[in-house]
């Protein structure tokens, strides 16, 4: 099982140690022990996991979702970016990375393995069921939705990219069940997927600013 590397500022070392972080003498850094819940340590994750997507503002998205194990109607959460977000590209010829404005349409972001602090804290104020999890199948840590009722990890493919489910609506009627709350703060993440564009974005429900949302 993977051990997670942390980047703990000197004045937060006591707190990290109290939460169970272990000091790796050889590598001179703090780590989450294998098998521990990574969530309490999420703010100290080393972003050696290089960020590859960013935007000056973002949406916190939520929609009802039927858990395939317990059949409970839970809520799933995610991040969406307005048109004009940027993705990191690598120039094959020069080998240099550069930021490029992506397609001119909004997108959902998924397969996130590293989140910047602001969106992470924002999401934590909304829900504790979108969380950093250990994914056994991939032997990796990802931000995933878990069922509110039975705790099942709901994989991102099902939540974000299966037509007619979750954040991939087929009809305007389905799109209405997706609520988007805009947050006027920068978003940065290391992500494996962003679903490009949907004319149905405009059919989703745009909620009042995020602070008015109660915990789901
Ligand atoms: Zn369930």
């Amino acid at each position: 099982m993977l051990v997670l590397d942390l980047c703990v500022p000197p004045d937060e070392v006591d707190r990290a140690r109290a939460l169970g972080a272990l000091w790796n003498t050889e590598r001179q850094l703090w780590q989450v022990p294998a098998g521990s819940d990574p969530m309490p340590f999420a703010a100290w994750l080393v972003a050696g996991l290089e960020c590859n997507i960013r935007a000056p503002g973002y949406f916190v998205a939520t929609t009802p979702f039927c858990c395939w194990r317990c059949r409970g109607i839970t809520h799933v959460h995610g991040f969406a970016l307005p048109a004009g977000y940027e993705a990191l590209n690598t120039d094959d010829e020069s080998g240099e990375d550069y930021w490029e404005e992506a397609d001119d349409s909004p997108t959902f972001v998924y397969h996130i393995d590293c989140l910047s602090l602001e969106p992470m804290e924002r999401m934590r104020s909304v829900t504790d069921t979108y969380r950093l999890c250990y994914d056994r199948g991939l032997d990796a840590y990802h931000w995933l939705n878990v069922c509110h009722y039975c705790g099942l990890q709901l994989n991102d493919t099902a939540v974000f990219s299966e037509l007619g489910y979750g954040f991939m609506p087929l009809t305007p009627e389905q799109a209405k069940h997706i609520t988007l709350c805009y947050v006027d703060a920068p978003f940065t993440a290391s992500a494996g997927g962003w679903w490009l564009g949907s004319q149905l974005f405009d059919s989703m429900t745009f909620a009042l600013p995020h602070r008015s949302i109660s915990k789901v």
Side-chain angles (χ1 to χ4, degrees), residues 67-72 147-152:
C67 170
W68 55 83
R69 183 164 73 187
C70 73
R71 311 308 294 173
C147 172
H148 174 73
Y149 301 103
C150 74
L152 181 71

Side-chain angles (χ1 to χ4, degrees), residues 182-199:
Y182 186 70
V183 180
D184 189 13
F187 177 93
T188 317
S190 163
W194 41 90
W195 156 53
L196 284 177
S198 161
Q199 63 279 32

